[in-house]
Amino acid sequence: MKLNKNIWILLIGEFIAGFGLWLGIIGDLEFMQDKIPSDFLKSLILVAGIFAGILCGPLAGKLTDQYSKKTILLYSGAARLISVSFMFLAIYTGSVWWMVVFLISINMTAAFYFPALQAAIPLVVDKKDLLQLNGLHTNISTLSRILGTAAAGFFLTIMSLTTLYVLAFSAYFILFVLTWFLQMDESKALTECLDEGAPSKQSFHEVFPVIKQQPLVLMTLVLSLVPILFIGGFNLVIIALSEIQQNPSLKGWLYVAEGVSFMLGAYFVKKLPTKSPYTVLLAFSLLIGLSQLILYFTTIPFISIVAFIVFGFSVGSFFPTAATIFQTQVPSEFHGRFFSFRGMFDDFIYQLILLATGFLLDTVGFHHMTVLFGALSLLTTLSLLMTFRRKGKESVAA
């Protein structure tokens, strides 16, 4: 793997893209905090972009399966550069509506980019190295998030929002250039896709019978709801915590604590002795639920840091395992449509959780919300654990 140029391009590209993304996210939060007082209204604005990404999902999946992954990555990268210009307009005019346009366009490009990226990973590495590469990929993504958020917090003290987005634009441009140097053998995947049927006759809905035929894939999709319950309103939760403790710098510490522990989880998951990936998912889902319940005691200053460390380590182990299951259990000719569906599924749930988080923060308050989400996470995990045991570990792993 160390001598594989394509792996290095993907990993370096992921770091640059993530760095630019998190510069932009912190800029978005700063812009909204200045313009919008209500947590619920903030969540509505974020939802607008997510909904646009969901609508693009079926088309993105079909095109990813029908055409070169590199081509999809390049076109979506160019569109992402254009979308940043809308945020410049938002800052210049002070209009929240231009920010909504920015969020819609950036999420539409993501609907094409990320399924193509996930479908490209199995094309540049042997199957036996997938878990390791997925762990590296998530670690690079998290490192870019840690450095991006830390840099954004620092940059906002010495420069304007406009300059911050210029840096984000520059990062996206470097990623676009790097993508040109990718070299992948896509002939086999494209041949399988063509054998399945003429491109114009391929249906996005054909992916659903494939998912149904793979119990481990279906159960992993359902179990993915557990981390999403936390991640969906992640930024709103961090803002609420900093307000509860009246400590603006806490936002940065929480991002760093979660990010570092995430990287450790992604590194250590491949060293776990268990041979069942589903056992890994169940164990860390339980820890995610517990981390949400711990936040009930967030009036104690260090408790929130502990909760985010537990959560970060758990999702750092969860996501590489889930990604490897999807990449190996789903046939390659369906990768584009499957990862688009997964993106739509995640975004739809994110949308609901984001709205629910904003609504619950405005109504029942932070502490009752964490108990509710923690209980839902534990109930979901325990119900799937009982299903897992009833069907038998061997039949599910097969």
Side-chain angles (χ1 to χ4, degrees):
M1 286 178 58
K2 294 180 180 179
L3 301 178
N4 191 323
K5 179 185 71 174
N6 293 306
I7 291 175
W8 283 104
I9 291 175
L10 287 176
L11 293 179
I12 294 172
E14 175 65 29
F15 176 81
I16 294 172
F19 189 84
L21 173 68
W22 283 96
L23 286 179
I25 286 175
I26 298 300
D28 293 346
L29 294 175
E30 184 74 15
F31 188 83
M32 284 194 292
Q33 213 165 358
D34 182 55
K35 303 291 182 182
I36 305 165
S38 168
D39 287 321
F40 184 61
L41 286 178
K42 291 172 188 171
S43 65
L44 282 176
I45 290 173
L46 294 173
V47 159
I50 296 172
F51 185 69
I54 292 174
L55 292 179
C56 289
L59 177 61
K62 289 177 64 177
L63 293 180
T64 301
D65 280 335
Q66 292 171 13
Y67 300 103
S68 164
K69 312 298 182 288
K70 179 178 177 179
T71 300
I72 301 295
L73 291 172
L74 285 171
Y75 275 107
S76 58
R80 183 162 46 191
L81 290 172
I82 296 172
S83 69
V84 179
S85 63
F86 297 122
M87 197 60 210
F88 290 133
L89 286 171
I91 296 170
Y92 180 74
T93 62
S95 171
V96 173
W97 290 109
W98 277 117
M99 181 184 182
V100 174
V101 175
F102 162 73
L103 288 172
I104 289 173
S105 60
I106 203 77
N107 277 275
M108 289 174 67
T109 63
F112 286 86
Y113 182 84
F114 287 107
L117 178 63
Q118 287 294 321
I121 288 175
L123 299 177
V124 302
V125 71
D126 294 333
K127 184 176 180 179
K128 62 181 177 62
D129 295 322
L130 266 179
L131 180 60
Q132 183 180 359
L133 180 56
N134 282 318
L136 283 171
H137 183 263
T138 52
N139 269 345
I140 291 295
S141 176
T142 305
L143 181 62
S144 68
R145 174 155 54 90
I146 294 171
L147 295 179
T149 52
F154 173 72
F155 290 156
L156 285 173
T157 64
I158 62 173
M159 65 178 63
S160 65
L161 265 181
T162 301
T163 307
L164 190 70
Y165 280 99
V166 168
L167 293 177
F169 181 90
S170 301
Y172 291 146
F173 180 76
I174 294 172
L175 172 63
F176 179 75
V177 173
L178 280 175
T179 306
W180 278 100
F181 294 96
L182 272 176
Q183 293 179 342
M184 300 178 291
D185 183 10
E186 303 187 56
S187 57
K188 182 176 182 294
L190 291 174
T191 300
E192 289 171 344
C193 186
L194 291 172
D195 289 342
E196 180 198 346
S200 60
K201 295 182 180 180
Q202 289 174 15
S203 171
F204 180 79
H205 297 89
E206 292 173 355
V207 75
F208 298 123
V210 175
I211 295 173
K212 189 176 180 180
Q213 293 166 7
Q214 300 289 340
L216 184 55
V217 172
L218 179 60
M219 296 178 83
T220 303
L221 278 172
V222 176
L223 200 57
S224 297
L225 294 172
V226 173
I228 292 176
L229 272 175
F230 198 122
I231 298 171
F234 194 78
N235 292 322
L236 293 179
V237 168
I238 286 180
I239 291 174
L241 282 169
S242 67
E243 291 174 351
I244 289 171
Q245 298 192 18
Q246 298 183 341
N247 182 6
S249 66
L250 180 65
K251 291 196 286 287
W253 284 109
L254 291 176
Y255 277 119
V256 170
E258 186 270 340
V260 171
S261 59
F262 185 103
M263 293 174 63
L264 292 174
Y267 175 77
F268 283 110
V269 67
K270 63 180 182 290
K271 299 181 180 297
L272 294 176
T274 178
K275 294 183 179 180
S276 171
Y278 203 68
T279 301
V280 175
L281 297 184
L282 285 168
F284 286 109
S285 293
L286 288 172
L287 284 177
I288 291 170
L290 290 174
S291 69
Q292 291 171 303
L293 292 177
I294 292 172
L295 285 175
Y296 180 81
F297 304 100
T298 193
T299 49
I300 304 173
F302 74 91
I303 288 294
S304 57
I305 300 291
V306 172
F308 272 70
I309 289 173
V310 173
F311 173 75
F313 189 87
S314 300
V315 293
S317 301
F318 185 100
F319 284 131
T321 305
T324 304
I325 290 171
F326 294 145
Q327 290 163 353
T328 55
Q329 298 294 316
V330 177
S332 60
E333 63 268 28
F334 290 95
H335 274 180
R337 280 165 287 180
F338 172 78
F339 286 116
S340 288
F341 166 72
R342 188 200 173 194
M344 293 168 63
F345 175 80
D346 288 349
D347 285 346
F348 178 72
I349 302 301
Y350 275 126
Q351 189 176 28
L352 294 180
I353 299 304
L354 185 57
L355 286 171
T357 301
F359 176 75
L360 291 173
L361 284 172
D362 283 349
T363 53
V364 303
F366 179 84
H367 296 91
H368 289 92
M369 183 194 73
T370 58
V371 171
L372 177 61
F373 282 176
L376 283 173
S377 296
L378 292 178
L379 285 173
T380 301
T381 304
L382 291 173
S383 64
L384 286 173
L385 176 60
M386 290 187 289
T387 302
F388 179 60
R389 286 181 173 177
R390 187 170 60 248
K391 290 185 175 182
K393 295 183 179 181
E394 293 79 12
S395 61
V396 174

